Amino acid sequence: MSPILLSAVTGALAMYFLDPQAGRRRRARTGDKMERAARKLREAYDVTMRDTEHRARGIAAAASRLVRRDRVSDEVLLGRVRATLGRVVSHPHAVEAQVRARRVTLSGPILAYEVPSLLRAVRYVPGVRAVENRLQPHAEPGNISSLQGGHPRRGQRFELLQDNWSPAARLATGVIGLALILRGGVLRSFAGGALLARALSNLDLATLVGLGEPEDGIEVQKTITVHAPVDQVFAFWSDYQNFPRFMRNVREVRVQEDRSHWVVAGPAGVAVEWTSEVRRIVPNELIEWRSTPDSAVKQEGSVRFEATGNESTRVTVHLCYLPPAGALGHAVASIFGVDPKSEMDADLMRMKSMIETGKQPHDAAQRV
């Protein structure tokens, strides 16, 4: 990093944390975040060590079975086959398995496309000598009751092809990524950084850089009770012009028929903009929205309203979003306290106060 850039970054951090008005609160908030991160790091270390130990024992047991040729009882083998069924077929209870002298017989109705993967998976079960196929394949569930419903199974997948990695896999991948970074070079550093970020976050690379879907990103849900009738609270939320009046970082909302354009203060005060469209409205019950495909911030969410008696309303906000630069951008934003996850509590309290008292909060983005 050049001396000029280093000086600029240092000056910006000093201005942010030493601000006479908000500096103390920012330093306290950052200290709390660092303490929470340290606690999570200790917990992650304990979980990773336990998982690594268990997997090492599993590998040792598998090697031992190969040496001993795994002469297990038919009862134990049947349990292994049943466990395999649950990972491979969408209707495992429809398939009957019998084991005699380590020979497996499979029968019962099954969807045709699942037959090859099931036979292959059962043949690889440790201890199985042979598999007899008596299955009744069907192209469609039709009127067969045992094939109704169910959920498609992906079967056994390589660890690093799964959405969620185990702690041991994350540790191994993180070590490889760090080693590539230390080796130097543009390509090695880039690949190592990607592996390290994937291991630390346990999020796929598309979500990390903001190319995934909102439901794959950051999720927030908050509930608050407002002492006001449900129709009054719903009307307040339905008027998007109210949002800058109680939200601290929402600078402007421009309504365009069923769409609304939002301008929000991002990290270091940089404006972030996106357009949302309403997906569904149920008067006095629900508002659902989703950002348009061309928006810089991919997000979707809902607000539910529930009358609780005594002229009160329970408001539940559910939000899924991918900020600019994805989860990495969220991590940077959260340090400075400008992400929805850290601000929603305060915003909802201002909303509650504004509806109940009719007075606008002094620290909202807009003063009317």
Side-chain angles (χ1 to χ4, degrees):
M1 183 179 294
S2 67
I4 296 178
L5 181 58
L6 179 61
S7 299
V9 172
T10 303
L13 290 175
M15 291 175 61
Y16 182 82
F17 288 108
L18 299 180
D19 181 89
Q21 296 181 349
R24 174 180 291 184
R25 178 173 56 82
R26 291 169 178 171
R27 292 192 298 271
R29 183 176 58 222
T30 303
D32 291 340
K33 289 181 179 293
M34 294 178 65
E35 182 179 349
R36 184 163 60 249
R39 183 174 63 253
K40 289 183 177 181
L41 184 62
R42 290 192 298 268
E43 295 172 354
Y45 173 82
D46 294 337
V47 171
T48 302
M49 291 300 102
R50 286 197 300 269
D51 183 64
T52 303
E53 180 182 356
H54 294 164
R55 287 177 177 270
R57 291 180 179 177
I59 293 174
S64 177
R65 286 199 299 266
L66 290 176
V67 173
R68 294 183 289 103
R69 296 189 178 180
D70 199 21
R71 295 186 177 277
V72 299
S73 66
D74 289 347
E75 182 179 356
V76 172
L77 196 55
L78 179 60
R80 293 178 181 176
V81 172
R82 295 302 309 178
T84 300
L85 289 176
R87 292 192 294 266
V88 177
V89 298
S90 56
H91 305 83
H93 296 294
V95 178
E96 296 182 8
Q98 297 178 344
V99 179
R100 179 174 297 178
R102 295 194 295 157
R103 296 178 179 273
V104 180
T105 301
L106 300 174
S107 60
I110 185 176
L111 295 176
Y113 73 90
E114 295 180 335
V115 173
S117 58
L118 173 59
L119 296 177
R120 183 169 55 252
V122 172
R123 289 192 185 101
Y124 280 104
V125 171
V128 172
R129 293 181 57 186
V131 179
E132 182 179 355
N133 179 12
R134 296 183 182 177
L135 295 167
Q136 305 163 17
H138 298 269
E140 299 290 340
N143 296 324
I144 303 173
S145 59
S146 58
L147 294 183
Q148 304 304 313
H151 300 280
R153 301 292 196 271
R154 294 182 176 180
Q156 294 281 63
R157 302 178 67 203
F158 179 58
E159 175 79 35
L160 300 185
L161 296 179
Q162 300 178 19
D163 294 333
N164 293 309
W165 291 357
S166 68
R170 293 171 63 185
L171 174 62
T173 306
V175 170
I176 294 173
L178 184 60
L180 289 174
I181 294 174
L182 295 178
R183 286 288 302 275
V186 176
L187 293 179
R188 281 195 293 263
S189 296
F190 179 79
L195 289 176
L196 186 60
R198 177 65 173 88
L200 290 174
S201 66
N202 202 21
L203 296 173
D204 61 85
L205 294 178
T207 302
L208 279 173
V209 299
L211 299 179
E213 294 299 320
E215 59 269 21
D216 298 325
I218 312 301
E219 183 175 6
V220 188
Q221 180 165 311
K222 302 289 184 180
T223 299
I224 192 171
T225 298
V226 181
H227 297 295
V230 65
D231 56 344
Q232 179 184 346
V233 178
F234 180 84
F236 182 89
W237 277 82
S238 301
D239 184 359
Y240 304 137
Q241 303 293 340
N242 284 324
F243 282 69
R245 299 171 59 196
F246 72 87
M247 300 185 99
R248 190 173 66 177
N249 291 315
V250 178
R251 295 178 177 176
E252 182 184 4
V253 181
R254 297 192 298 271
V255 180
Q256 306 161 348
E257 296 182 355
D258 62 339
R259 294 189 174 190
S260 53
H261 186 78
W262 297 67
V263 182
V264 177
V270 178
V272 179
E273 302 185 25
W274 71 84
T275 300
S276 292
E277 55 185 359
V278 177
R279 303 178 66 186
R280 186 159 67 111
I281 291 183
V282 180
N284 298 336
E285 293 184 15
L286 174 70
I287 301 175
E288 288 185 352
W289 71 89
R290 184 183 181 94
S291 60
T292 56
D294 57 346
S295 296
V297 178
K298 296 182 179 181
Q299 55 127 325
E300 64 180 19
S302 65
V303 183
R304 295 186 177 274
F305 307 87
E306 180 184 357
T308 60
N310 298 324
E311 296 295 306
S312 295
T313 303
R314 181 182 296 114
V315 180
T316 301
V317 182
H318 182 256
L319 177 66
C320 299
Y321 71 101
L322 275 180
L328 296 178
H330 170 80
V332 173
S334 63
I335 295 175
F336 295 96
V338 290
D339 66 289
K341 198 168 187 176
S342 64
E343 296 291 336
M344 187 176 291
D345 281 332
D347 287 338
L348 290 179
M349 288 301 298
R350 283 189 287 267
M351 177 273 299
K352 171 183 171 72
S353 174
M354 186 172 177
I355 294 178
E356 293 178 351
T357 66
K359 298 179 180 178
Q360 185 180 359
H362 69 279
D363 53 349
Q366 286 186 6
R367 293 290 296 168
V368 179

